[in-house]
Amino acid sequence: MLPTKTLHLPAFFLLLASSLPAAAAPVIDGADTAWVMTTTALVLFMTLPGLALFYGGLVRVRNVLSVLMQCFAICALASLLWVICGYSLAFSEGNAFIGGLDKLFFAGVGVSSVAGTIPEPVFALFQMTFAVITPALIIGGFAERFRFATLLVFTAAWLLLVYVPVTHWVWGGGWLGQLGLLDFAGGTVVHVTAGVAALVAAIVVGPRHGFQKTAMAPHNLTMTVSGAGMLWVGWFGFNGGSALAANGQAGMAMLVTHLSAAAGCLTWMAAEWIRFGKPSVLGIVTGMVAGLGTITPASGYVGPGGAIIIGILAGVVCFTATLWVERSLRIDDSLDVFPVHGVGGIIGTLLAGVFASTHLGPFSGQGFAAGIESIVAQVGIQALGVASVFVYTGVLTWIILKVLQATMGLRVAVENEQVGLDIFEHEERGYDL
């Protein structure tokens, strides 16, 4: 009789592991991929031509080309920087503050690499469009007076020193994401950073010549309304695409985005009507943008009832903030970037912690918070996220601008400002009829 063998425990587990099926490899979903590719195009459409036309119509006729030029240049510059190092620092594995260098020049981002259920190149491109529009929003804070050469250097420095780290904090595995901050599509990452940067820039650069002494009316509201319509449509990609899947969350994000925009524009219109006696075209489109920016961080977590409340608050609070910044603080945030995007991003980020609750009846969200205690705790996290991003963005933006002010100069001379940036910077005219 042959002697029996004893199967040692480690060997048993190795044998058991070898008999189990291998972990399933990530699978690309065709529907999700097609959806995110479509929304990527919509988000780029928000900058070019949407934001370019929206801002271009708001400035005076002698500066329209300068705004269009700035939007185009920022789009190109931010795209290349995103490929070179921005994406890697934002989304590759690093520490709580910043990502690593594993994906410089999109290393490893090939046709076979997967992010969730979509190809990683599609995810990286989708995030690139966010990196494009965020610094483009800032130019509204110093429109009609900023040097073009300085703008290019500022954009590069700000993108890498402010936008990229904050993106990693929230979406790339950084400390705010680990805390549980709810920011679905960029309340802190996009709107707070852009709004605060625009406010700091307006203060450091100083007001336009003749601010609050001469009329500085928009030169072409038809252009502005056209751009506003493009932003409204494009925002479906901005928020709906942030689900990164063709699913119910994406659909709900689109619904609440639309409702908040509608509530925001009508509320702003009503507030303006009550205060000034007449509703304006500029007011209704600005209210729309306020509603869109405010719902952005909450769009993946709230329901229709909460979205309408958020839009109404956006219209009232952002309208009031616009008057406060210009008339009380006397800050020339030329195109109201901070009152609309900064204040809207703050409101929306805080309210995401409220309306995500399932205990609010018809105003309930999608179950990311429950009960009063959970709401209070979540709002605390939201407030910490807002405060951290606000302070970090403000300090770094101030440092960047002060360095550029001492080396390159920030603004054109008064006589060149009066001639207009179209002629002085680019030797071209927006209209030659």
PDB file of all heavy atoms in Angstrom, residues 78-109:
ATOM      1  N   ALA A  78      -4.164  74.955 -24.016  1.00  0.00           N
ATOM      2  CA  ALA A  78      -4.577  74.041 -22.951  1.00  0.00           C
ATOM      3  C   ALA A  78      -4.605  72.595 -23.440  1.00  0.00           C
ATOM      4  O   ALA A  78      -4.265  71.668 -22.694  1.00  0.00           O
ATOM      5  CB  ALA A  78      -5.944  74.450 -22.408  1.00  0.00           C
ATOM      6  N   SER A  79      -4.999  72.386 -24.686  1.00  0.00           N
ATOM      7  CA  SER A  79      -5.046  71.028 -25.235  1.00  0.00           C
ATOM      8  C   SER A  79      -3.669  70.393 -25.263  1.00  0.00           C
ATOM      9  O   SER A  79      -3.490  69.225 -24.871  1.00  0.00           O
ATOM     10  CB  SER A  79      -5.643  71.060 -26.644  1.00  0.00           C
ATOM     11  OG  SER A  79      -6.972  71.544 -26.633  1.00  0.00           O
ATOM     12  N   LEU A  80      -2.675  71.149 -25.727  1.00  0.00           N
ATOM     13  CA  LEU A  80      -1.317  70.600 -25.801  1.00  0.00           C
ATOM     14  C   LEU A  80      -0.736  70.374 -24.411  1.00  0.00           C
ATOM     15  O   LEU A  80      -0.075  69.355 -24.162  1.00  0.00           O
ATOM     16  CB  LEU A  80      -0.428  71.528 -26.618  1.00  0.00           C
ATOM     17  CG  LEU A  80      -0.794  71.662 -28.105  1.00  0.00           C
ATOM     18  CD1 LEU A  80       0.157  72.624 -28.805  1.00  0.00           C
ATOM     19  CD2 LEU A  80      -0.764  70.308 -28.803  1.00  0.00           C
ATOM     20  N   LEU A  81      -0.955  71.314 -23.500  1.00  0.00           N
ATOM     21  CA  LEU A  81      -0.452  71.134 -22.137  1.00  0.00           C
ATOM     22  C   LEU A  81      -1.102  69.936 -21.455  1.00  0.00           C
ATOM     23  O   LEU A  81      -0.458  69.244 -20.656  1.00  0.00           O
ATOM     24  CB  LEU A  81      -0.711  72.403 -21.314  1.00  0.00           C
ATOM     25  CG  LEU A  81       0.146  73.621 -21.646  1.00  0.00           C
ATOM     26  CD1 LEU A  81      -0.327  74.819 -20.859  1.00  0.00           C
ATOM     27  CD2 LEU A  81       1.619  73.343 -21.371  1.00  0.00           C
ATOM     28  N   TRP A  82      -2.369  69.681 -21.766  1.00  0.00           N
ATOM     29  CA  TRP A  82      -3.058  68.538 -21.201  1.00  0.00           C
ATOM     30  C   TRP A  82      -2.393  67.233 -21.634  1.00  0.00           C
ATOM     31  O   TRP A  82      -2.223  66.310 -20.835  1.00  0.00           O
ATOM     32  CB  TRP A  82      -4.518  68.560 -21.619  1.00  0.00           C
ATOM     33  CG  TRP A  82      -5.405  67.596 -20.898  1.00  0.00           C
ATOM     34  CD1 TRP A  82      -6.018  66.496 -21.425  1.00  0.00           C
ATOM     35  CD2 TRP A  82      -5.791  67.632 -19.525  1.00  0.00           C
ATOM     36  NE1 TRP A  82      -6.763  65.859 -20.470  1.00  0.00           N
ATOM     37  CE2 TRP A  82      -6.642  66.533 -19.282  1.00  0.00           C
ATOM     38  CE3 TRP A  82      -5.501  68.509 -18.469  1.00  0.00           C
ATOM     39  CZ2 TRP A  82      -7.197  66.277 -18.030  1.00  0.00           C
ATOM     40  CZ3 TRP A  82      -6.046  68.250 -17.226  1.00  0.00           C
ATOM     41  CH2 TRP A  82      -6.885  67.151 -17.012  1.00  0.00           C
ATOM     42  N   VAL A  83      -1.988  67.169 -22.892  1.00  0.00           N
ATOM     43  CA  VAL A  83      -1.321  65.966 -23.403  1.00  0.00           C
ATOM     44  C   VAL A  83       0.074  65.838 -22.813  1.00  0.00           C
ATOM     45  O   VAL A  83       0.495  64.753 -22.387  1.00  0.00           O
ATOM     46  CB  VAL A  83      -1.253  65.994 -24.943  1.00  0.00           C
ATOM     47  CG1 VAL A  83      -0.397  64.838 -25.468  1.00  0.00           C
ATOM     48  CG2 VAL A  83      -2.657  65.919 -25.535  1.00  0.00           C
ATOM     49  N   ILE A  84       0.791  66.935 -22.758  1.00  0.00           N
ATOM     50  CA  ILE A  84       2.183  66.886 -22.304  1.00  0.00           C
ATOM     51  C   ILE A  84       2.271  66.410 -20.849  1.00  0.00           C
ATOM     52  O   ILE A  84       3.018  65.479 -20.537  1.00  0.00           O
ATOM     53  CB  ILE A  84       2.851  68.260 -22.466  1.00  0.00           C
ATOM     54  CG1 ILE A  84       2.983  68.606 -23.962  1.00  0.00           C
ATOM     55  CG2 ILE A  84       4.231  68.285 -21.795  1.00  0.00           C
ATOM     56  CD1 ILE A  84       3.384  70.048 -24.218  1.00  0.00           C
ATOM     57  N   CYS A  85       1.515  67.041 -19.965  1.00  0.00           N
ATOM     58  CA  CYS A  85       1.646  66.663 -18.552  1.00  0.00           C
ATOM     59  C   CYS A  85       0.374  66.846 -17.735  1.00  0.00           C
ATOM     60  O   CYS A  85       0.253  66.268 -16.642  1.00  0.00           O
ATOM     61  CB  CYS A  85       2.789  67.427 -17.888  1.00  0.00           C
ATOM     62  SG  CYS A  85       2.542  69.224 -17.864  1.00  0.00           S
ATOM     63  N   GLY A  86      -0.578  67.639 -18.206  1.00  0.00           N
ATOM     64  CA  GLY A  86      -1.744  67.946 -17.399  1.00  0.00           C
ATOM     65  C   GLY A  86      -2.561  66.723 -17.035  1.00  0.00           C
ATOM     66  O   GLY A  86      -2.942  66.539 -15.867  1.00  0.00           O
ATOM     67  N   TYR A  87      -2.839  65.880 -18.002  1.00  0.00           N
ATOM     68  CA  TYR A  87      -3.640  64.687 -17.741  1.00  0.00           C
ATOM     69  C   TYR A  87      -2.938  63.765 -16.757  1.00  0.00           C
ATOM     70  O   TYR A  87      -3.557  63.221 -15.838  1.00  0.00           O
ATOM     71  CB  TYR A  87      -3.920  63.955 -19.049  1.00  0.00           C
ATOM     72  CG  TYR A  87      -4.666  62.651 -18.877  1.00  0.00           C
ATOM     73  CD1 TYR A  87      -5.990  62.640 -18.452  1.00  0.00           C
ATOM     74  CD2 TYR A  87      -4.046  61.430 -19.136  1.00  0.00           C
ATOM     75  CE1 TYR A  87      -6.683  61.445 -18.292  1.00  0.00           C
ATOM     76  CE2 TYR A  87      -4.726  60.230 -18.980  1.00  0.00           C
ATOM     77  CZ  TYR A  87      -6.040  60.245 -18.561  1.00  0.00           C
ATOM     78  OH  TYR A  87      -6.722  59.059 -18.399  1.00  0.00           O
ATOM     79  N   SER A  88      -1.652  63.579 -16.930  1.00  0.00           N
ATOM     80  CA  SER A  88      -0.904  62.704 -16.036  1.00  0.00           C
ATOM     81  C   SER A  88      -0.932  63.229 -14.606  1.00  0.00           C
ATOM     82  O   SER A  88      -1.197  62.478 -13.660  1.00  0.00           O
ATOM     83  CB  SER A  88       0.543  62.571 -16.518  1.00  0.00           C
ATOM     84  OG  SER A  88       1.268  61.681 -15.689  1.00  0.00           O
ATOM     85  N   LEU A  89      -0.696  64.529 -14.435  1.00  0.00           N
ATOM     86  CA  LEU A  89      -0.672  65.104 -13.089  1.00  0.00           C
ATOM     87  C   LEU A  89      -2.051  65.113 -12.444  1.00  0.00           C
ATOM     88  O   LEU A  89      -2.172  65.098 -11.216  1.00  0.00           O
ATOM     89  CB  LEU A  89      -0.117  66.525 -13.146  1.00  0.00           C
ATOM     90  CG  LEU A  89       1.369  66.642 -13.505  1.00  0.00           C
ATOM     91  CD1 LEU A  89       1.748  68.094 -13.751  1.00  0.00           C
ATOM     92  CD2 LEU A  89       2.248  66.039 -12.414  1.00  0.00           C
ATOM     93  N   ALA A  90      -3.093  65.127 -13.252  1.00  0.00           N
ATOM     94  CA  ALA A  90      -4.445  65.151 -12.707  1.00  0.00           C
ATOM     95  C   ALA A  90      -4.984  63.756 -12.410  1.00  0.00           C
ATOM     96  O   ALA A  90      -5.640  63.547 -11.387  1.00  0.00           O
ATOM     97  CB  ALA A  90      -5.386  65.873 -13.676  1.00  0.00           C
ATOM     98  N   PHE A  91      -4.679  62.785 -13.283  1.00  0.00           N
ATOM     99  CA  PHE A  91      -5.391  61.511 -13.199  1.00  0.00           C
ATOM    100  C   PHE A  91      -4.518  60.268 -13.026  1.00  0.00           C
ATOM    101  O   PHE A  91      -5.059  59.193 -12.816  1.00  0.00           O
ATOM    102  CB  PHE A  91      -6.282  61.332 -14.433  1.00  0.00           C
ATOM    103  CG  PHE A  91      -7.497  62.204 -14.422  1.00  0.00           C
ATOM    104  CD1 PHE A  91      -7.549  63.369 -15.169  1.00  0.00           C
ATOM    105  CD2 PHE A  91      -8.596  61.885 -13.629  1.00  0.00           C
ATOM    106  CE1 PHE A  91      -8.666  64.189 -15.150  1.00  0.00           C
ATOM    107  CE2 PHE A  91      -9.718  62.692 -13.600  1.00  0.00           C
ATOM    108  CZ  PHE A  91      -9.748  63.849 -14.365  1.00  0.00           C
ATOM    109  N   SER A  92      -3.211  60.386 -13.110  1.00  0.00           N
ATOM    110  CA  SER A  92      -2.418  59.186 -12.836  1.00  0.00           C
ATOM    111  C   SER A  92      -2.179  59.069 -11.333  1.00  0.00           C
ATOM    112  O   SER A  92      -2.335  60.025 -10.575  1.00  0.00           O
ATOM    113  CB  SER A  92      -1.084  59.230 -13.591  1.00  0.00           C
ATOM    114  OG  SER A  92      -0.289  60.297 -13.141  1.00  0.00           O
ATOM    115  N   GLU A  93      -1.790  57.892 -10.914  1.00  0.00           N
ATOM    116  CA  GLU A  93      -1.632  57.623  -9.488  1.00  0.00           C
ATOM    117  C   GLU A  93      -0.500  58.451  -8.908  1.00  0.00           C
ATOM    118  O   GLU A  93       0.616  58.481  -9.416  1.00  0.00           O
ATOM    119  CB  GLU A  93      -1.364  56.133  -9.265  1.00  0.00           C
ATOM    120  CG  GLU A  93      -1.357  55.730  -7.803  1.00  0.00           C
ATOM    121  CD  GLU A  93      -1.221  54.225  -7.607  1.00  0.00           C
ATOM    122  OE1 GLU A  93      -1.355  53.493  -8.606  1.00  0.00           O
ATOM    123  OE2 GLU A  93      -0.989  53.798  -6.465  1.00  0.00           O
ATOM    124  N   GLY A  94      -0.780  59.148  -7.819  1.00  0.00           N
ATOM    125  CA  GLY A  94       0.231  59.967  -7.162  1.00  0.00           C
ATOM    126  C   GLY A  94      -0.007  60.001  -5.671  1.00  0.00           C
ATOM    127  O   GLY A  94      -0.114  58.967  -5.030  1.00  0.00           O
ATOM    128  N   ASN A  95      -0.150  61.217  -5.140  1.00  0.00           N
ATOM    129  CA  ASN A  95      -0.466  61.347  -3.717  1.00  0.00           C
ATOM    130  C   ASN A  95      -1.776  62.117  -3.565  1.00  0.00           C
ATOM    131  O   ASN A  95      -2.503  62.322  -4.536  1.00  0.00           O
ATOM    132  CB  ASN A  95       0.683  62.035  -2.978  1.00  0.00           C
ATOM    133  CG  ASN A  95       1.083  63.357  -3.630  1.00  0.00           C
ATOM    134  OD1 ASN A  95       0.224  64.170  -3.971  1.00  0.00           O
ATOM    135  ND2 ASN A  95       2.378  63.569  -3.808  1.00  0.00           N
ATOM    136  N   ALA A  96      -2.077  62.555  -2.359  1.00  0.00           N
ATOM    137  CA  ALA A  96      -3.351  63.224  -2.117  1.00  0.00           C
ATOM    138  C   ALA A  96      -3.428  64.593  -2.770  1.00  0.00           C
ATOM    139  O   ALA A  96      -4.518  65.135  -2.958  1.00  0.00           O
ATOM    140  CB  ALA A  96      -3.584  63.360  -0.610  1.00  0.00           C
ATOM    141  N   PHE A  97      -2.277  65.154  -3.138  1.00  0.00           N
ATOM    142  CA  PHE A  97      -2.255  66.515  -3.667  1.00  0.00           C
ATOM    143  C   PHE A  97      -2.117  66.561  -5.183  1.00  0.00           C
ATOM    144  O   PHE A  97      -2.756  67.369  -5.847  1.00  0.00           O
ATOM    145  CB  PHE A  97      -1.106  67.304  -3.025  1.00  0.00           C
ATOM    146  CG  PHE A  97      -1.031  68.733  -3.493  1.00  0.00           C
ATOM    147  CD1 PHE A  97      -1.896  69.695  -2.970  1.00  0.00           C
ATOM    148  CD2 PHE A  97      -0.108  69.119  -4.448  1.00  0.00           C
ATOM    149  CE1 PHE A  97      -1.829  71.014  -3.409  1.00  0.00           C
ATOM    150  CE2 PHE A  97      -0.040  70.435  -4.883  1.00  0.00           C
ATOM    151  CZ  PHE A  97      -0.901  71.383  -4.361  1.00  0.00           C
ATOM    152  N   ILE A  98      -1.295  65.694  -5.739  1.00  0.00           N
ATOM    153  CA  ILE A  98      -1.024  65.761  -7.173  1.00  0.00           C
ATOM    154  C   ILE A  98      -0.758  64.357  -7.702  1.00  0.00           C
ATOM    155  O   ILE A  98      -0.295  63.478  -6.968  1.00  0.00           O
ATOM    156  CB  ILE A  98       0.188  66.694  -7.461  1.00  0.00           C
ATOM    157  CG1 ILE A  98       0.272  67.044  -8.940  1.00  0.00           C
ATOM    158  CG2 ILE A  98       1.471  66.062  -6.961  1.00  0.00           C
ATOM    159  CD1 ILE A  98      -0.829  67.973  -9.418  1.00  0.00           C
ATOM    160  N   GLY A  99      -1.070  64.165  -8.985  1.00  0.00           N
ATOM    161  CA  GLY A  99      -0.831  62.870  -9.609  1.00  0.00           C
ATOM    162  C   GLY A  99       0.622  62.679  -9.998  1.00  0.00           C
ATOM    163  O   GLY A  99       1.470  63.547  -9.777  1.00  0.00           O
ATOM    164  N   GLY A 100       0.909  61.556 -10.597  1.00  0.00           N
ATOM    165  CA  GLY A 100       2.276  61.218 -10.972  1.00  0.00           C
ATOM    166  C   GLY A 100       2.591  61.584 -12.411  1.00  0.00           C
ATOM    167  O   GLY A 100       1.848  62.283 -13.094  1.00  0.00           O
ATOM    168  N   LEU A 101       3.723  61.059 -12.878  1.00  0.00           N
ATOM    169  CA  LEU A 101       4.216  61.378 -14.220  1.00  0.00           C
ATOM    170  C   LEU A 101       4.158  60.174 -15.152  1.00  0.00           C
ATOM    171  O   LEU A 101       4.801  60.168 -16.199  1.00  0.00           O
ATOM    172  CB  LEU A 101       5.654  61.894 -14.126  1.00  0.00           C
ATOM    173  CG  LEU A 101       5.869  63.123 -13.232  1.00  0.00           C
ATOM    174  CD1 LEU A 101       7.353  63.468 -13.159  1.00  0.00           C
ATOM    175  CD2 LEU A 101       5.070  64.322 -13.737  1.00  0.00           C
ATOM    176  N   ASP A 102       3.390  59.170 -14.783  1.00  0.00           N
ATOM    177  CA  ASP A 102       3.355  57.940 -15.569  1.00  0.00           C
ATOM    178  C   ASP A 102       2.772  58.132 -16.964  1.00  0.00           C
ATOM    179  O   ASP A 102       3.084  57.359 -17.878  1.00  0.00           O
ATOM    180  CB  ASP A 102       2.527  56.866 -14.846  1.00  0.00           C
ATOM    181  CG  ASP A 102       3.143  56.465 -13.517  1.00  0.00           C
ATOM    182  OD1 ASP A 102       4.345  56.736 -13.331  1.00  0.00           O
ATOM    183  OD2 ASP A 102       2.429  55.910 -12.668  1.00  0.00           O
ATOM    184  N   LYS A 103       1.937  59.161 -17.146  1.00  0.00           N
ATOM    185  CA  LYS A 103       1.234  59.314 -18.416  1.00  0.00           C
ATOM    186  C   LYS A 103       1.614  60.597 -19.141  1.00  0.00           C
ATOM    187  O   LYS A 103       0.806  61.189 -19.855  1.00  0.00           O
ATOM    188  CB  LYS A 103      -0.274  59.238 -18.180  1.00  0.00           C
ATOM    189  CG  LYS A 103      -0.708  57.875 -17.652  1.00  0.00           C
ATOM    190  CD  LYS A 103      -2.197  57.719 -17.512  1.00  0.00           C
ATOM    191  CE  LYS A 103      -2.534  56.301 -17.018  1.00  0.00           C
ATOM    192  NZ  LYS A 103      -3.994  56.097 -16.878  1.00  0.00           N
ATOM    193  N   LEU A 104       2.868  61.036 -18.952  1.00  0.00           N
ATOM    194  CA  LEU A 104       3.349  62.174 -19.707  1.00  0.00           C
ATOM    195  C   LEU A 104       3.225  61.890 -21.203  1.00  0.00           C
ATOM    196  O   LEU A 104       3.502  60.786 -21.668  1.00  0.00           O
ATOM    197  CB  LEU A 104       4.816  62.463 -19.366  1.00  0.00           C
ATOM    198  CG  LEU A 104       5.123  62.955 -17.945  1.00  0.00           C
ATOM    199  CD1 LEU A 104       6.610  63.197 -17.785  1.00  0.00           C
ATOM    200  CD2 LEU A 104       4.344  64.219 -17.621  1.00  0.00           C
ATOM    201  N   PHE A 105       2.816  62.897 -21.948  1.00  0.00           N
ATOM    202  CA  PHE A 105       2.594  62.760 -23.392  1.00  0.00           C
ATOM    203  C   PHE A 105       1.642  61.596 -23.697  1.00  0.00           C
ATOM    204  O   PHE A 105       1.761  60.940 -24.722  1.00  0.00           O
ATOM    205  CB  PHE A 105       3.919  62.579 -24.128  1.00  0.00           C
ATOM    206  CG  PHE A 105       4.771  63.815 -24.134  1.00  0.00           C
ATOM    207  CD1 PHE A 105       5.734  64.016 -23.154  1.00  0.00           C
ATOM    208  CD2 PHE A 105       4.599  64.789 -25.115  1.00  0.00           C
ATOM    209  CE1 PHE A 105       6.514  65.173 -23.153  1.00  0.00           C
ATOM    210  CE2 PHE A 105       5.374  65.939 -25.116  1.00  0.00           C
ATOM    211  CZ  PHE A 105       6.341  66.131 -24.134  1.00  0.00           C
ATOM    212  N   PHE A 106       0.688  61.350 -22.786  1.00  0.00           N
ATOM    213  CA  PHE A 106      -0.303  60.284 -22.931  1.00  0.00           C
ATOM    214  C   PHE A 106       0.347  58.903 -23.053  1.00  0.00           C
ATOM    215  O   PHE A 106      -0.145  58.021 -23.758  1.00  0.00           O
ATOM    216  CB  PHE A 106      -1.202  60.544 -24.141  1.00  0.00           C
ATOM    217  CG  PHE A 106      -2.366  61.456 -23.851  1.00  0.00           C
ATOM    218  CD1 PHE A 106      -2.337  62.329 -22.776  1.00  0.00           C
ATOM    219  CD2 PHE A 106      -3.488  61.449 -24.658  1.00  0.00           C
ATOM    220  CE1 PHE A 106      -3.402  63.196 -22.514  1.00  0.00           C
ATOM    221  CE2 PHE A 106      -4.569  62.292 -24.408  1.00  0.00           C
ATOM    222  CZ  PHE A 106      -4.519  63.172 -23.333  1.00  0.00           C
ATOM    223  N   ALA A 107       1.452  58.715 -22.355  1.00  0.00           N
ATOM    224  CA  ALA A 107       2.107  57.406 -22.369  1.00  0.00           C
ATOM    225  C   ALA A 107       1.153  56.351 -21.830  1.00  0.00           C
ATOM    226  O   ALA A 107       0.558  56.514 -20.762  1.00  0.00           O
ATOM    227  CB  ALA A 107       3.381  57.444 -21.514  1.00  0.00           C
ATOM    228  N   GLY A 108       0.975  55.280 -22.563  1.00  0.00           N
ATOM    229  CA  GLY A 108       0.085  54.201 -22.153  1.00  0.00           C
ATOM    230  C   GLY A 108      -1.381  54.438 -22.442  1.00  0.00           C
ATOM    231  O   GLY A 108      -2.215  53.566 -22.202  1.00  0.00           O
ATOM    232  N   VAL A 109      -1.699  55.620 -22.951  1.00  0.00           N
ATOM    233  CA  VAL A 109      -3.089  55.920 -23.299  1.00  0.00           C
ATOM    234  C   VAL A 109      -3.281  55.531 -24.767  1.00  0.00           C
ATOM    235  O   VAL A 109      -3.199  56.350 -25.665  1.00  0.00           O
ATOM    236  CB  VAL A 109      -3.427  57.409 -23.065  1.00  0.00           C
ATOM    237  CG1 VAL A 109      -4.891  57.695 -23.382  1.00  0.00           C
ATOM    238  CG2 VAL A 109      -3.097  57.805 -21.633  1.00  0.00           C
TER     239      VAL A 109
END
